[in-house]
Amino acid sequence: MARLLTIMARLRDPANGCPWDLKQTYSTIVPYTLEEAYEVADAIARGDFDELKDELGDLLFQVVFYAQMAQEEARFQFADCVAAICDKLERRHPHIFGNVVAADADTVLKNWEALKSHERQQVGQHSVLDNIPQAMPALSRAYKLQKRCANVGFDWPDVAGCWDKVKEEVLEVEQTQADSPELAEELGDLLFAMVNVVRKHKLDPEAVLRAANSKFEQRFRLVEQALAAQGKTPEQSDLAEMDALWQQVKQLSRC
């Protein structure tokens, strides 16, 4: 860790540092941080643990980069980040570092959320929806908003209520004109309602959609391969032919 911090300091040295690293700001680094986080998730999804090791290093470097810039401005240091997370973990695990009893994961999660709520109130955040980043992917943010509300009892009692809402939203979309300015709003409501269904099944909507994306990609690539075997590209085919191949691929994937 000391070696990494030393390397970062050299890269940002005003006299002899790297011109690219010196040019960066908190804002310009954010896209790289998000990209590295997605690459970590991708390595995990593929079960590539050799790559995961490298990707986690890349993600750690992002933290070190922010901390170095903050240190240059006399705001905080990397050690302060470490101390803050250590304090938080001890504070939010009273069943490990205190006298609270938590027999299962659900109880731990309830205690965690209660502690987070108390901490938000202490810093002047009084809404249960405070501190949910606007920059989160919309699907993840919808899940987070719904989860926060569910924690205070604003939730359907079971998944049937969620499905009723989805059906209601589907009907509203169907009744909205295609060129209507309200269409985007109605489609957004439908997507939001579907996130509720996923959440009620105790699944992560990002993970669910990521898996669906992967399945679609894998199947379409097989369609492309089947066309290539006939000396064709998708552009040289038509929907009927590609759909027939899609159904074959789909059937094979179930065998």
Side-chain angles (χ1 to χ4, degrees):
M1 198 66 239
R3 181 185 172 197
L4 178 57
L5 291 171
T6 299
I7 291 171
M8 185 72 252
R10 286 195 63 185
L11 291 174
R12 291 278 297 182
D13 181 83
N16 301 302
C18 170
W20 187 90
D21 291 278
L22 285 167
K23 186 179 178 181
Q24 303 312 306
T25 66
Y26 299 103
S27 298
T28 62
I29 291 296
V30 167
Y32 299 102
T33 307
L34 295 174
E35 181 180 338
E36 297 300 349
Y38 285 127
E39 289 180 359
V40 166
D42 184 62
I44 291 172
R46 290 183 287 104
D48 190 336
F49 292 97
D50 286 334
E51 187 173 335
L52 178 60
K53 173 190 65 180
D54 292 338
E55 298 299 349
L56 287 171
D58 292 343
L59 187 57
L60 176 60
F61 179 67
Q62 300 298 305
V63 178
V64 169
F65 209 135
Y66 290 117
Q68 175 63 32
M69 290 188 287
Q71 182 174 335
E72 292 165 6
E73 298 170 357
R75 297 178 184 276
F76 58 81
Q77 302 179 48
F78 179 78
D80 298 319
C81 300
V82 175
I85 187 59
C86 287
D87 290 344
K88 182 184 292 185
L89 288 172
E90 290 179 348
R91 187 170 66 248
R92 291 190 183 173
H93 289 82
H95 54 290
I96 301 297
F97 302 103
N99 300 317
V100 173
V101 175
D104 53 50
D106 286 341
T107 304
V108 170
L109 188 58
K110 277 186 180 178
N111 290 342
W112 179 281
E113 292 297 339
L115 287 165
K116 280 178 66 175
S117 177
H118 178 67
E119 289 168 13
R120 287 196 298 269
Q121 291 175 17
Q122 285 186 318
V123 295
Q125 297 175 351
H126 300 294
S127 170
V128 297
L129 302 181
D130 283 340
N131 202 33
I132 299 178
Q134 292 284 347
M136 283 181 75
L139 201 62
S140 293
R141 193 163 191 272
Y143 175 73
K144 193 84 170 178
L145 289 166
Q146 294 171 7
K147 195 175 174 184
R148 285 274 185 92
C149 289
N151 287 335
V152 295
F154 190 69
D155 192 16
W156 299 106
D158 53 45
V159 74
C162 299
W163 276 119
D164 288 341
K165 186 63 177 173
V166 168
K167 294 170 186 175
E168 176 188 325
E169 297 298 348
V170 167
L171 186 61
E172 290 182 7
V173 168
E174 291 176 340
Q175 293 174 342
T176 304
Q177 295 294 325
D179 58 352
S180 169
E182 284 81 34
L183 181 60
E185 180 180 349
E186 297 299 344
L187 287 169
D189 291 344
L190 176 56
L191 287 171
F192 193 83
M194 274 305 307
V195 171
N196 241 336
V197 172
V198 175
R199 180 184 60 83
K200 270 298 189 181
H201 283 291
K202 299 187 183 303
L203 296 169
D204 181 340
E206 281 286 341
V208 167
L209 187 56
R210 192 159 49 241
N213 288 342
S214 295
K215 181 170 69 175
F216 178 87
E217 181 180 5
Q218 182 182 33
R219 288 179 177 176
F220 190 78
R221 286 180 184 275
L222 290 172
V223 169
E224 288 179 312
Q225 290 173 21
L227 286 171
Q230 301 173 21
K232 290 183 178 181
T233 65
E235 292 83 0
Q236 295 167 331
S237 181
D238 57 30
L239 177 58
E241 184 177 19
M242 285 190 286
D243 186 57
L245 290 171
W246 178 274
Q247 295 304 325
Q248 290 177 25
V249 167
K250 187 175 177 181
Q251 189 64 37
L252 287 171
S253 68
R254 290 175 174 171
C255 296

